[in-house]
Amino acid sequence: MRIAVYPGTFDPVTNGHLDILTRAVKLFDKVIIAVAYDNNKDTLFSLEERKQLLESEVKEYNNVEVRTFSGLTVNFARQCGAVALIRGLRAMTDFEYEFQLALMNKKLAPDIETVFLMTKSDYSFISSSAIKWAASLNGSVTEFVPLNVEKALYAKYKKSL
Ligand code: COA
């Protein structure tokens, strides 16, 4: 059983994240989405809300699980028995940060590989922050997030769809 962990803040999950997930499930027997509790980001959604939004989007997969974690990602991955971490690469600007993170993780856990998947070009420019910014100003984010997430965003910002 080849397990991969797909870690992130997911504040909130976007179509870009789901695109990466769709491809990761074809490569591994099981993918565990790991929602990070403490990674120095002020989040709009609580840990439980981020987990629930993800869960409602992955119901169709029987080999995907959503879990929360705190502490080092590689320690969580080890607990899960994972052989790999999945990361999405959107643009060259992601590369330096991701390269550093992957090398650090490799030092901490030489037995776990980081697998990078290229984000679909339609989503290569989006980020959770940009989506939150647009939604907070009543901009349409329909193209970039699932309907559930869009509703949750507008509820947070007290706007209507
Ligand atoms: N499509 C659209 N957007 C994407 C994307 C995709 N495919 N992939 C990433 N993004 C965006 C996210 O929306 C997010 O946007 P934001 O910064 O505006 O919120 C940004 O890219 C990066 O987010 P994410 O992938 O969630 O990574 P992160 O940098 O927030 O967190 C962790 C990454 C959780 C893996 C990392 O912080 C971590 O491992 N933390 C635990 C401690 C640890 O082990 N540290 C490393 C060793 S010291």
Side-chain angles (χ1 to χ4, degrees):
M1 175 90 141
R2 300 183 71 74
I3 300 173
V5 161
Y6 179 21
T9 310
F10 303 106
D11 184 46
V13 58
T14 68
N15 289 343
H17 293 128
L18 294 172
D19 166 56
I20 296 291
L21 178 71
T22 307
R23 293 167 24 220
V25 292
K26 292 181 193 155
L27 301 175
F28 293 92
D29 300 313
K30 179 171 179 177
V31 176
I32 299 174
I33 303 178
V35 188
Y37 171 63
D38 49 1
N39 68 348
N40 304 327
K41 277 188 175 177
D42 277 333
T43 58
L44 175 68
F45 293 97
S46 69
L47 186 66
E48 198 47 39
E49 285 171 331
R50 287 180 274 143
K51 180 175 183 253
Q52 280 170 8
L53 287 173
L54 269 158
E55 274 170 345
S56 62
E57 298 311 319
V58 302
K59 278 188 200 128
E60 68 193 93
Y61 300 105
N62 55 14
N63 60 342
V64 175
E65 196 185 321
V66 184
R67 291 173 59 182
T68 58
F69 78 102
S70 63
L72 284 178
T73 299
V74 287
N75 287 351
F76 176 75
R78 275 221 182 94
Q79 281 165 26
C80 296
V83 293
L85 297 175
I86 303 288
R87 296 290 291 164
L89 274 184
R90 288 168 300 171
M92 279 307 287
T93 43
D94 277 345
F95 183 76
E96 206 171 315
Y97 170 72
E98 291 297 338
F99 189 60
Q100 198 182 12
L101 192 64
L103 289 180
M104 190 69 191
N105 284 333
K106 191 73 186 160
K107 277 276 176 224
L108 294 167
D111 49 322
I112 297 177
E113 296 297 332
T114 299
V115 174
F116 293 106
L117 296 174
M118 300 287 287
T119 303
K120 201 170 160 188
S121 60
D122 301 11
Y123 305 127
S124 63
F125 59 94
I126 62 170
S127 70
S128 300
S129 301
I131 286 166
K132 285 181 281 190
W133 193 8
S136 73
L137 299 173
N138 229 3
S140 169
V141 292
T142 310
E143 264 183 79
F144 309 126
V145 290
L147 185 60
N148 242 356
V149 175
E150 190 180 11
K151 284 183 182 159
L153 276 166
Y154 286 126
K156 283 275 180 204
Y157 293 120
K158 305 204 176 358
K159 314 262 183 199
S160 51
L161 267 180

